Amino acid sequence: MFRPLSLYVGLRYTAAKRRNHFISFISLTSMIGLMLGVAVLIIVLSVMNGFDRELKQRILGMVPHAVIEGSDHIRDWQDVVNRVEEHPRVLAAAPFIQGQGMVTGGGDVRGVLLNGVLPDQERDVSIIEDHMREGTLADLKSGEFGIIIGRTMASSLRLGLGDKVTVVLPEASVTPAGVLPRLKRFTVKGIFSVGAELDGNYTLIHMDDASKLMRTDGKAKGVRLLVDDLFAAPRVAEQAASGLDGRYYISDWTRTHGNLFQAIRMEKTMIGLLLMFIVAVAAFNIVSTLVMVVTDKTADIAILRTMGATPGRIMRIFIIQGGVIGIFGTLVGTALGVLGALNISGFIAWIEAVMGHKFLNADVYFISYLPSQLLWQDVLIISSAGLAMSLLATIYPAWRASRVDPAEALRYE
């Protein structure tokens, strides 16, 4: 005889065709529910991981990790850059001048954030060079009044390389003709695309041109830092600024984009918990399946008991039967979830191309496509939780099966 008996009978019960087709239907439903729950949970958490990654790499790759600003402006910014770069956790530093304004072109107007930078130093603290679609950062030259804009802005203002735009500052200049806004004509030198909201309102100009436009007399507004650990940016910036002479103010990414990062983290946690309940419901459908199987197999259980099967062996038979349903559903769901997580970005892009509709518009969302990042620790946690809940769901029906009284069960047989 096949050994062990519990495994043999449990597998036989799982594969056997039942007289009651409703029980077979419930078993199939439990398996499919568990399969879909695990797969959806892996895909959704991978998408949330993707949003988290894009926030770090794209948004926080463009905006400063930390900023050191003077009480007015920083004249000796070269000395500040050299001194903060001495900190072991500061990877690079670069000066900047920043201001808000409007850009007019193609008969339209758009509010923008003007960033005056030094191209050679900016590429050390920003990922902009890796996302240039037309032109390069080196095309920004002092005195030429060139500007680099995002693809969304270029599309909305119908601009291309070499086109002229007018930059208007919210500051008035007194002229013989009266009080007029300060404005200057710029030439589009480059177009970048990071697939984020920055494509629509972020612009770069040479720092010397920004100094003339904003009348800072060669001074920098501040120094932006690139640090080795995003989450250590506040502490690193404070330490780097503590050795500087004078009064300086410190800011970091947690003040500008920290709420967005926290929201993504919280959403990932809450969505994970809610979807885990779906997995739990699917897993505990095994309880109803096994209870009906126990009722259907009462006579078989009684016969096994009279042949010498112990209550523990009977219990193991039904644990194995329910475990097979849970293990199969979890493993297939894991495989489908991994496959879906690896291909969801391309699939959504294909749907957008077919429908001609953009689900994530960069004007509304902080990125313009659906990202996905599969983390194997998430897969391990989800599959382990699915297996654990499936096995736990078998304990009560198996215990009921082990309590069947052979005499009572066979009385009317």
Side-chain angles (χ1 to χ4, degrees):
M1 183 180 290
F2 185 88
R3 295 290 189 273
L5 180 64
S6 300
L7 180 62
Y8 172 72
V9 177
L11 293 177
R12 187 177 179 86
Y13 276 179
T14 303
K17 293 183 179 180
R18 298 186 179 87
R19 296 185 301 272
N20 191 335
H21 295 290
F22 182 70
I23 298 177
S24 300
F25 174 75
I26 293 297
S27 300
L28 182 63
T29 302
S30 302
M31 190 179 297
I32 293 176
L34 186 60
M35 189 187 310
L36 292 179
V38 170
V40 169
L41 184 53
I42 291 175
I43 293 173
V44 170
L45 289 189
S46 296
V47 170
M48 298 305 296
N49 291 331
F51 276 106
D52 187 61
R53 179 198 62 198
E54 294 304 307
L55 175 63
K56 292 178 182 177
Q57 292 183 354
R58 292 179 179 264
I59 307 298
L60 299 182
M62 291 285 289
V63 302
H65 289 182
V67 170
I68 298 176
E69 299 183 37
S71 55
D72 183 15
H73 285 84
I74 304 175
R75 179 175 295 277
D76 56 342
W77 55 263
Q78 297 95 335
D79 180 61
V80 173
V81 169
N82 293 333
R83 294 181 66 176
V84 297
E85 284 183 337
E86 294 176 357
H87 193 285
R89 303 195 66 178
V90 175
L91 303 179
F96 70 94
I97 299 174
Q98 194 174 76
Q100 294 181 344
M102 293 185 298
V103 168
T104 63
D108 204 351
V109 180
R110 197 175 186 100
V112 296
L113 185 65
L114 295 167
N115 295 273
V117 300
L118 294 177
D120 291 339
Q121 294 181 261
E122 183 66 15
R123 60 170 53 95
D124 294 332
V125 297
S126 172
I127 63 171
I128 182 69
E129 189 74 19
D130 300 329
H131 295 275
M132 295 297 298
R133 295 294 178 262
E134 298 182 57
T136 65
L137 198 59
D139 292 334
L140 292 179
K141 300 185 184 300
S142 176
E144 294 186 0
F145 288 94
I147 187 171
I148 294 177
I149 62 177
R151 185 171 61 179
T152 302
M153 185 186 303
S155 177
S156 65
L157 299 181
R158 297 180 293 280
L159 297 173
L161 286 183
D163 290 344
K164 300 290 184 179
V165 296
T166 301
V167 175
V168 183
L169 295 185
E171 298 178 11
S173 298
V174 180
T175 68
V179 179
L180 299 175
R182 192 183 307 167
L183 50 87
K184 180 65 181 177
R185 294 280 284 177
F186 279 78
T187 303
V188 177
K189 294 288 187 177
I191 298 174
F192 68 87
S193 174
V194 294
E197 61 179 349
L198 299 176
D199 290 351
N201 56 25
Y202 196 84
T203 63
L204 295 170
I205 60 178
H206 198 281
M207 198 171 85
D208 293 342
D209 298 339
S211 179
K212 295 174 184 177
L213 182 64
M214 302 178 192
R215 300 176 183 176
T216 64
D217 193 25
K219 302 176 183 177
K221 181 180 180 181
V223 173
R224 59 179 291 176
L225 309 180
L226 178 70
V227 300
D228 61 353
D229 183 5
L230 277 172
F231 300 100
R235 184 174 66 257
V236 172
E238 184 178 355
Q239 293 172 354
S242 62
L244 300 175
D245 300 326
R247 180 178 297 177
Y248 292 93
Y249 301 98
I250 303 169
S251 180
D252 59 82
W253 69 271
T254 60
R255 300 185 183 182
T256 57
H257 292 80
N259 290 337
L260 181 59
F261 184 82
Q262 295 286 350
I264 292 176
R265 282 293 180 87
M266 182 176 293
E267 286 176 5
K268 178 185 175 183
T269 302
M270 296 306 298
I271 290 175
L273 289 175
L274 291 175
L275 292 179
M276 190 61 78
F277 282 123
I278 297 177
V279 177
V281 170
F284 280 94
N285 277 340
I286 297 174
V287 175
S288 58
T289 300
L290 290 184
V291 166
M292 286 187 287
V293 170
V294 169
T295 303
D296 188 56
K297 300 292 185 181
T298 300
D300 294 359
I301 296 170
I303 292 171
L304 288 172
R305 289 294 306 278
T306 58
M307 294 175 63
T310 63
R313 177 166 290 177
I314 298 296
M315 191 171 181
R316 286 194 296 272
I317 288 173
F318 288 92
I319 288 177
I320 289 170
Q321 183 180 357
V324 169
I325 297 174
I327 291 171
F328 185 81
T330 302
L331 293 182
V332 174
T334 300
L336 291 177
V338 170
L339 186 64
L342 294 176
N343 295 279
I344 186 68
S345 299
F347 180 68
I348 296 298
W350 176 77
I351 292 179
E352 290 178 341
V354 171
M355 297 180 61
H357 174 71
K358 198 76 172 174
F359 293 128
L360 297 177
N361 194 319
D363 290 335
V364 180
Y365 304 98
F366 73 92
I367 62 174
S368 59
Y369 72 100
L370 189 70
S372 177
Q373 182 184 21
L374 181 67
L375 297 180
W376 291 108
Q377 58 263 36
D378 286 346
V379 176
L380 180 61
I381 292 172
I382 293 167
S383 56
S384 299
L387 290 172
M389 287 187 287
S390 300
L391 294 176
L392 285 174
T394 64
I395 293 177
Y396 173 71
W399 176 80
R400 279 194 57 180
S402 69
R403 304 292 293 177
V404 170
D405 183 3
E408 186 69 25
L410 296 175
R411 175 178 296 177
Y412 303 104
E413 292 292 334

